[in-house]
Amino acid sequence: MRYTMRRDKWLLVILLVYFGLATGCGGGGAAGGNGATGSPVTAVALDVCSTATPVPNTYIVEVRTVATTESEIELEILAAADDCRLRMKGDIKRLFTNALHGFVAVLPEGEIPDRFFEDEHVSRVQQDVVANADDFVPHRLFVDIPVQQIPNGVRRIFADDPGLAARIDGTDGAGERVGIGIAIIDSGIDISHPDLNVSPLGVDFTASAAGANDVFGHGTHVAGITAALDNAFGVVGVAPGATLYPVKVLGDTGNGSLSNIIAGVDWVVANADKIAVANLSLHVSCPSPMLRDALRRAVAAGVVVVASAGNRGIDIFGPDNVSGTTDDQAPACFPEVLTVSALADFDGLAGGLAAGTTMPDDTLVGYSNSSRSLYPGTPWTPPGMAIDLAAPGYAVLSTFPGGVYETMSGTSMAAPHVTGAVARLIALRGRDFNLDGVVDAADVTAVRQTLVSGGQPQSQWRSGGSTLDPDGNPEPLVDARTR
């Protein structure tokens, strides 16, 4: 395992303590949200995102490594970080050693970030920027649900089909939980919620006093949609009882940073032997190549990455509808992730027959981002283009901190329906999905293609009515019966 303390590892730990670096769980990552600006990044520094709010004086630095062993790579990163600390009087906040090789540095006011490139081992630099939970709307709080409810979203994607292996019958008996590890990269999870199976192996990158525990509520709601227990009370998730790993990258007010997200992905890659799926119901207005590369490495490790499309009612490639420009909505815009839009469903059934609703039943909600084109180089073309699937994302009932329940709306709620469906499919067929003897990106692609091909076409959503798809590219609805 990664954290086994060999002799060279002890050397690394001694150096970390000596240089005062904060890494891993509880590291003092820069959480954004105050709108302040720091030293501007000049043209020499790469990956500038002009539409995002910068985290003051904070930079993500990628290091060019040549070593081949894990410990030697970490020492190379540490050496570059220490060079920055001494030469630029910067404060090194965090190291990345898995999904990205680099570190996060906070420079003194007025220090010129171009000076990073005086170190020949520095390959890329980007100013850190603010990230947020995808906008969501809370509706109604339920303190107690004494008899288990099957939420409309679970019913609408056929996850309650009695013929499925993960049958939903109100009992949480031995062997009936979906035995898959799922990372919720979000605001944490209520680790003591009685309706969730939360792993003690959680991590916090926000320096919250609550640790990986969720204060904001967003992550707990996402977690419940994904995998709430099938028991006698509360609600049930799409993949009941799956093991949930809280990866806290959004702080207790819902704000975080790009570097926090990369740190979360870095942690998932380090634990890819346990984690098969990762859910990111969040966004950063910055198509950071560093974030994309981190997600690529997660996929290469066999982790299926699911992301919410976003709630701005625009193309995920921004108002200019052009991929690779600064207004792209990440991570939804990246071809490595399975991107999910939001459906409004009010009765758990197809047909558009629910009456007296706030919007037409079985239609895409107006706030859900859309897609008119593909990211260049995408190896296959889903019917929804860069939006892979739709899932219920309006007035969804799920878990909430404090052992209670809440209804919320947003693509944040749609994505975990798909995450649960991914977990069920992997539980059925295994992580070596294509049976070639290795778990890698090819398996992730096969899982995605299987779910998209097995989804319910928009022509079956409503009886003779429009689904209000704004882009003419009809992504299907995820179907949990897909095998």
Side-chain angles (χ1 to χ4, degrees), residues 292-312:
R292 185 184 177 191
D293 284 347
L295 292 168
R296 278 177 171 152
R297 291 187 178 103
V299 170
V303 178
V304 181
V305 180
V306 181
S308 53
N311 303 325
R312 300 187 177 186

Side-chain angles (χ1 to χ4, degrees), residues 131-329:
N132 308 96
D134 268 333
D135 298 334
F136 63 97
V137 178
H139 295 280
R140 184 181 176 191
L141 181 69
F142 297 82
V143 174
D144 184 35
I145 301 179
V147 178
Q148 178 171 276
Q149 295 187 24
I150 302 177
N152 284 336
V154 172
R155 296 171 56 213
R156 184 64 182 83
I157 69 168
F158 314 106
D160 63 335
D161 188 309
L164 297 180
R167 62 185 180 276
I168 292 175
D169 58 8
T171 61
D172 184 36
E176 292 189 342
R177 296 183 178 185
V178 175
I180 296 295
I182 301 172
I184 305 297
I185 303 178
D186 209 292
S187 62
I189 301 175
D190 179 357
I191 58 178
S192 60
H193 200 293
D195 218 357
L196 299 174
N197 176 26
V198 184
S199 170
L201 185 61
V203 64
D204 170 40
F205 293 105
T206 71
S208 167
N213 205 34
D214 186 19
V215 174
F216 186 56
H218 190 267
T220 300
H221 199 268
V222 167
I225 296 168
T226 305
L229 294 169
D230 183 18
N231 49 25
F233 63 90
V235 296
V236 62
V238 176
T243 303
L244 297 163
Y245 292 84
V247 183
K248 188 168 181 175
V249 301
L250 303 175
D252 296 340
T253 60
N255 296 325
S257 65
L258 174 62
S259 65
N260 286 358
I261 298 173
I262 293 174
V265 177
D266 194 67
W267 187 87
V268 167
V269 172
N271 292 278
D273 58 330
K274 308 177 190 69
I275 296 170
V277 198
N279 188 96
L280 291 94
S281 289
L282 46 75
H283 79 272
V284 55
S285 297
C286 170
S288 165
M290 290 190 190
L291 175 58
R292 185 184 177 191
D293 284 347
L295 292 168
R296 278 177 171 152
R297 291 187 178 103
V299 170
V303 178
V304 181
V305 180
V306 181
S308 53
N311 303 325
R312 300 187 177 186
I314 61 174
D315 196 285
I316 62 168
F317 297 126
D320 62 5
N321 297 334
V322 177
S323 61
T325 55
T326 59
D327 58 0
D328 292 6
Q329 303 299 294

Side-chain angles (χ1 to χ4, degrees), residues 271-472:
N271 292 278
D273 58 330
K274 308 177 190 69
I275 296 170
V277 198
N279 188 96
L280 291 94
S281 289
L282 46 75
H283 79 272
V284 55
S285 297
C286 170
S288 165
M290 290 190 190
L291 175 58
R292 185 184 177 191
D293 284 347
L295 292 168
R296 278 177 171 152
R297 291 187 178 103
V299 170
V303 178
V304 181
V305 180
V306 181
S308 53
N311 303 325
R312 300 187 177 186
I314 61 174
D315 196 285
I316 62 168
F317 297 126
D320 62 5
N321 297 334
V322 177
S323 61
T325 55
T326 59
D327 58 0
D328 292 6
Q329 303 299 294
C333 66
F334 296 136
E336 289 74 22
V337 307
L338 198 167
T339 302
V340 186
S341 61
L343 170 79
D345 176 86
F346 296 92
D347 58 4
L349 301 169
L353 302 177
T357 58
T358 54
M359 60 186 69
D361 187 33
D362 292 310
T363 61
L364 289 168
V365 294
Y367 53 72
S368 184
N369 287 349
S370 58
S371 171
R372 292 172 174 80
S373 60
L374 279 174
Y375 203 97
T378 302
W380 64 300
T381 305
M385 300 300 278
I387 305 289
D388 295 88
L389 289 163
Y394 185 83
V396 178
L397 178 63
S398 184
T399 50
F400 198 72
V404 298
Y405 302 85
E406 173 79 274
T407 54
M408 293 183 180
S409 296
T411 59
S412 285
M413 287 66 248
H417 284 89
V418 174
T419 297
V422 169
R424 290 176 68 145
L425 183 58
I426 293 174
L428 180 68
R429 294 181 53 175
R431 295 188 69 178
D432 182 13
F433 203 78
N434 59 10
L435 301 177
D436 65 353
V438 294
V439 176
D440 57 14
D443 297 297
V444 172
T445 298
V447 168
R448 290 176 61 183
Q449 292 176 333
T450 299
L451 280 172
V452 171
S453 298
Q456 185 185 59
Q458 287 192 21
S459 60
Q460 297 178 23
W461 292 8
R462 290 173 58 80
S463 299
S466 168
T467 61
L468 303 182
D469 192 325
D471 54 29

Side-chain angles (χ1 to χ4, degrees), residues 35-47:
T37 58
S39 303
V41 180
T42 66
V44 177
L46 305 180
D47 309 339

